[in-house]
Amino acid sequence: MSESPEAIEGPTKFPKTTLAAAALVLVLALGAAFFPSSKGYEMQEVFLVFDAPGSGTEREEFFHSLAQVLGEISEHSMEVVVCTTRGEFMKQAQGGVDFLFCPDGLALELDPAKYAQMAVGRRRLPSNLRPRGVTVFRKSVGKSARPWESHAKRTVFGDSISLVSVGPEGPVMRKGECAFGPDPYNHAPALHALRLGAFDFALVRQWEAEEFFASGLLDPNIWGVHTRTVPVPDMVVMASTMIPLVDRLKWADTLALVGRSEGETSEPVSLLQSHLGALGLVGFNILLEPDFELVRRNFTRNWPGATD
């Protein structure tokens, strides 16, 4: 490639790791001291997952191995329920489940009185721990601040759910003539359609855009990139608020060690580590309430309700 793609920005500055670790230790200590255990909570034994139709056995194995880890901690077997539409997912969630795995956009739609953040997917360094949403555009057409309005029929979104794809203006975009990719965890289909000439603009996850440029699938002489969103959680694990805080923190702490522990691990954790690649992850980070509430404040006001 003769030049680097334009303006895929470097790592975003977040609070330093040491401060986050110290805050986590404090939260765990307070939880252990002031909140009761889950002995009085009756588990539903359901792990609800949102996934694209026909995503394959690799993802199924990932979801089942994650359910085994959650079940090992709770000493309850977890039934994995996979939903492929927004409406189906929200209906199942309203009925009550213990844990959920979904894109960040769906997590924002969940009732915060019923479900709380627990962990967020982590990717391999030196990439940002969280991706931004970017717009890949055809240079001969030029940049557009709102291509879903100025070039609606020539614009494709990586999906219709993730914050990295539709950002805070999801309702506006869904009313237009734009196209949407089928998979919130993989924006490659949208980028392939772009490079093959079907579109001039693609609003996608930063990681996929970088991979397409690095592999030569997108020519930087033809395509440019500019950043659209702040870094967002992307893939999140949520838990029922009926589960006491101290236990939710215990599960989050266990997930945060997946892929980091150098010692011996349990069989379920080892199995989960072997399947992380199905979603391009290397582990999880704890998602603290103030952090997720900041995302909620930035996006929820314009975020749509659950519809298919």
Side-chain angles (χ1 to χ4, degrees), residues 38-281:
S38 61
K39 292 181 180 179
Y41 169 67
E42 184 177 350
M43 300 289 290
Q44 302 298 310
E45 300 186 351
V46 175
F47 175 41
L48 182 62
V49 170
F50 183 89
D51 196 19
S55 60
T57 57
E58 287 187 6
R59 283 196 196 170
E60 292 176 6
E61 292 171 347
F62 166 78
F63 295 134
H64 281 276
S65 62
L66 178 53
Q68 287 184 38
V69 171
L70 297 172
E72 180 185 36
I73 300 170
S74 65
E75 299 181 350
H76 288 78
S77 297
M78 287 287 140
E79 176 189 3
V80 179
V81 177
V82 179
C83 297
T84 58
T85 67
R86 297 162 60 96
E88 180 188 7
F89 180 86
M90 297 305 295
K91 182 178 179 180
Q92 290 280 353
Q94 289 167 5
V97 301
D98 299 306
F99 304 103
L100 309 93
F101 183 93
C102 60
D104 45 20
L106 275 185
L108 289 182
E109 294 182 27
L110 295 169
D111 183 352
K114 291 186 176 181
Y115 296 103
Q117 74 299 321
M118 195 164 69
V120 59
R122 183 179 80 251
R123 290 174 177 77
R124 191 179 308 279
L125 294 174
S127 297
N128 290 348
L129 298 181
R130 296 182 185 178
R132 296 174 181 266
V134 301
T135 301
V136 181
F137 64 94
R138 192 183 300 275
K139 288 184 174 180
S140 61
V141 177
K143 289 184 182 180
S144 173
R146 302 171 69 86
W148 54 91
E149 293 179 353
S150 60
H151 303 79
K153 292 183 178 180
R154 300 293 297 172
T155 298
V156 62
F157 296 87
D159 68 271
S160 62
I161 295 174
S162 297
L163 298 180
V164 287
S165 185
V166 297
E169 293 159 334
V172 176
M173 300 182 212
R174 269 197 279 275
K175 294 177 182 177
E177 300 174 308
C178 305
F180 297 89
D183 190 347
Y185 303 124
N186 179 16
H187 291 169
L191 286 168
H192 280 301
L194 176 83
R195 74 182 185 86
L196 293 174
F199 301 99
D200 296 321
F201 300 87
L203 290 84
V204 296
R205 185 180 292 104
Q206 173 186 352
W207 310 135
E208 277 94 330
E210 290 178 344
E211 290 171 0
F212 268 62
F213 279 103
S215 64
L217 291 174
L218 289 175
D219 185 343
N221 293 310
I222 298 174
W223 302 100
V225 183
H226 66 86
T227 301
R228 296 186 57 250
T229 73
V230 297
V232 291
D234 200 23
M235 305 179 198
V236 296
V237 182
M238 307 287 286
S240 169
T241 54
M242 295 295 293
I243 301 174
L245 175 60
V246 64
D247 291 319
R248 299 201 305 266
L249 291 170
K250 178 175 64 178
W251 272 299
D253 191 41
T254 299
L255 289 178
L257 294 176
V258 172
R260 286 191 170 108
S261 177
E262 297 181 357
E264 291 187 7
T265 59
S266 67
E267 184 176 345
V269 170
S270 296
L271 186 63
L272 175 58
Q273 290 178 172
S274 69
H275 293 306
L276 287 169
L279 285 175
L281 302 176

